[in-house]
Amino acid sequence: MRAFRLPRLPRPIRRALTAAFALAVVGAIALTLARLDWGVVAVMFARRDAGQIGLLLGGALLASMAGLSFGFLAWRVVLLESGPPVSEPRVVRIFFVGFLSKYVPGRVPGMIAVTKVATANGVGFARLISTAALVMSLVLLSGFTVGLLAGVQMLGARAAWLAGAAVLIVLVLVRPQIVNQGSALLLRLLRRPGAAKAASIRGVRLAVAWQSLSWVVTGLHLWPLAIAVGAPPSRSLALCVGAFTLATSIGIASVFIPDGIGVREAVLAAALALVLPAPAAAVVALASRVVSIVGEVLLGVAALATAEYLIRRGRTDRREAGQAAGPSPAGSSRA
């Protein structure tokens, strides 16, 4: 099977397309932020002291950003396991370009952009898509497992189907090579090339640990939002963590619905109705979307800016080192 390659364009055209895509991402993010229901934040401030709500919203935002950071670490482990080393700033660049490009309508522009960025930073298409396939399987399995925290409360005995994910996660931890074989089979069925090197046993287990931690920490952002509208703190903690994880996993599995919009909110509202009146549960579900998107954008922009700074500084340092070294001996003899 021939490796997938994008055509190489002249540098001026590449730069123009890069600038156009960056503007498209910025515009798409701005439009997404403008379309959010910011009224739910005002509803929360109307219920409690402004200082308390500010602290609760700040805690929710920090939890959302921390959870995404742990998710990045899971992806990073798999990527670095499947091929030659890549510097940390370039790993960050590849991940967050792909992550923020999801806001651009349609999947094709984002796929092309992240493929070009990955290739330019030493990660081929086969390695990139193998990483995505393996990580997505771990995301869903760990997500439905953590989702048991809410699924049992929502569905009772009918939540038994979620236990299948927990069984598979345990199986993956015991025999990590299964997930490599599963992702390789999926890529063959999709007629996509796989990476030359599979993730190690340690790598798969570490990725499962990071991704599970990511779900738990990200789900924690829902808890202060629920408390802000009157949910009992002790009773709602596990429910909030499980509800967000379950709702997001179902949204991801709903591949034809962009970012699970609507699906996630419906599942969240149904779960939160166990500890809140239905109108308050709907407010929290909508506020969760606001906090999640703001957290993603803030973290993504900060991470990309830091990565670009470090990459450019590294290039400058190498140039300065080369200039300080002076001409080569061969060059001196010719002079």
Side-chain angles (χ1 to χ4, degrees):
M1 181 182 295
R2 294 182 60 186
F4 175 83
R5 291 183 182 275
L6 292 171
R8 186 169 182 81
L9 300 172
R11 179 174 294 180
I13 295 179
R14 293 203 307 272
R15 288 180 174 176
L17 289 175
T18 299
F21 183 76
L23 289 174
V25 171
V26 171
I29 290 174
L31 184 61
T32 299
L33 291 172
R35 287 177 174 175
L36 291 174
D37 187 355
W38 294 95
V40 296
V41 178
V43 170
M44 289 185 170
F45 275 101
R47 285 176 171 262
R48 281 178 178 250
D49 175 73
Q52 291 180 341
I53 294 298
L55 288 174
L56 291 171
L57 286 174
L61 184 62
L62 288 175
S64 180
M65 295 170 68
L68 176 56
S69 300
F70 292 132
F72 159 73
L73 291 177
W75 180 88
R76 170 188 170 277
V77 166
V78 176
L79 179 75
L80 295 181
E81 284 277 328
S82 60
V86 182
S87 69
E88 294 297 332
R90 294 183 184 278
V91 172
V92 171
R93 175 195 270 175
I94 297 167
F95 178 84
F96 282 101
V97 165
F99 190 82
L100 292 180
S101 66
K102 73 177 184 177
Y103 290 103
V104 178
R107 298 180 183 275
V108 174
M111 289 180 63
I112 293 175
V114 73
T115 300
K116 291 293 289 183
V117 169
T119 302
N121 288 274
V123 177
F125 179 73
R127 184 178 177 186
L128 184 68
I129 199 167
S130 292
T131 299
L134 194 151
V135 170
M136 185 55 65
S137 64
L138 298 181
V139 164
L140 290 174
L141 288 176
S142 60
F144 284 120
T145 300
V146 177
L148 278 167
L149 292 172
V152 171
Q153 297 184 58
M154 292 172 63
L155 304 173
R158 290 177 296 174
W161 63 274
L162 289 173
V167 171
L168 288 174
I169 275 291
V170 172
L171 188 60
V172 166
L173 290 173
V174 174
R175 296 184 62 84
Q177 60 269 34
I178 291 175
V179 75
N180 280 320
Q181 295 166 356
S183 62
L185 175 61
L186 175 62
L187 292 173
R188 283 199 298 270
L189 293 174
L190 295 175
R191 297 187 177 183
R192 293 290 186 267
K197 180 182 175 185
S200 68
I201 291 175
R202 174 186 174 277
V204 172
R205 287 174 176 163
L206 189 56
V208 170
W210 280 125
Q211 186 56 52
S212 299
L213 181 61
S214 171
W215 279 126
V216 172
V217 174
T218 308
L220 278 174
H221 91 272
L222 198 66
W223 188 43
L225 300 180
I227 292 174
V229 297
S234 58
R235 187 184 169 197
S236 59
L237 175 57
L239 178 68
C240 286
V241 172
F244 178 81
T245 304
L246 180 61
T248 306
S249 299
I250 293 174
I252 293 172
S254 306
V255 293
F256 298 106
I257 301 175
D259 209 22
I261 294 176
V263 174
R264 191 173 94 178
E265 283 73 16
V267 176
L268 278 180
L272 292 169
L274 296 175
V275 293
L276 287 169
V283 167
V284 174
L286 292 172
S288 171
R289 177 70 67 175
V290 173
V291 169
S292 296
I293 290 178
V294 171
E296 290 172 0
V297 172
L298 289 178
L299 181 62
V301 170
L304 276 178
T306 303
E308 291 301 319
Y309 169 75
L310 292 174
I311 290 170
R312 292 179 183 277
R313 190 185 70 173
R315 291 172 181 165
T316 302
D317 291 346
R318 285 196 297 271
R319 284 198 297 268
E320 290 176 350
Q323 292 170 358
S328 65
S332 299
S333 63
R334 283 197 301 270

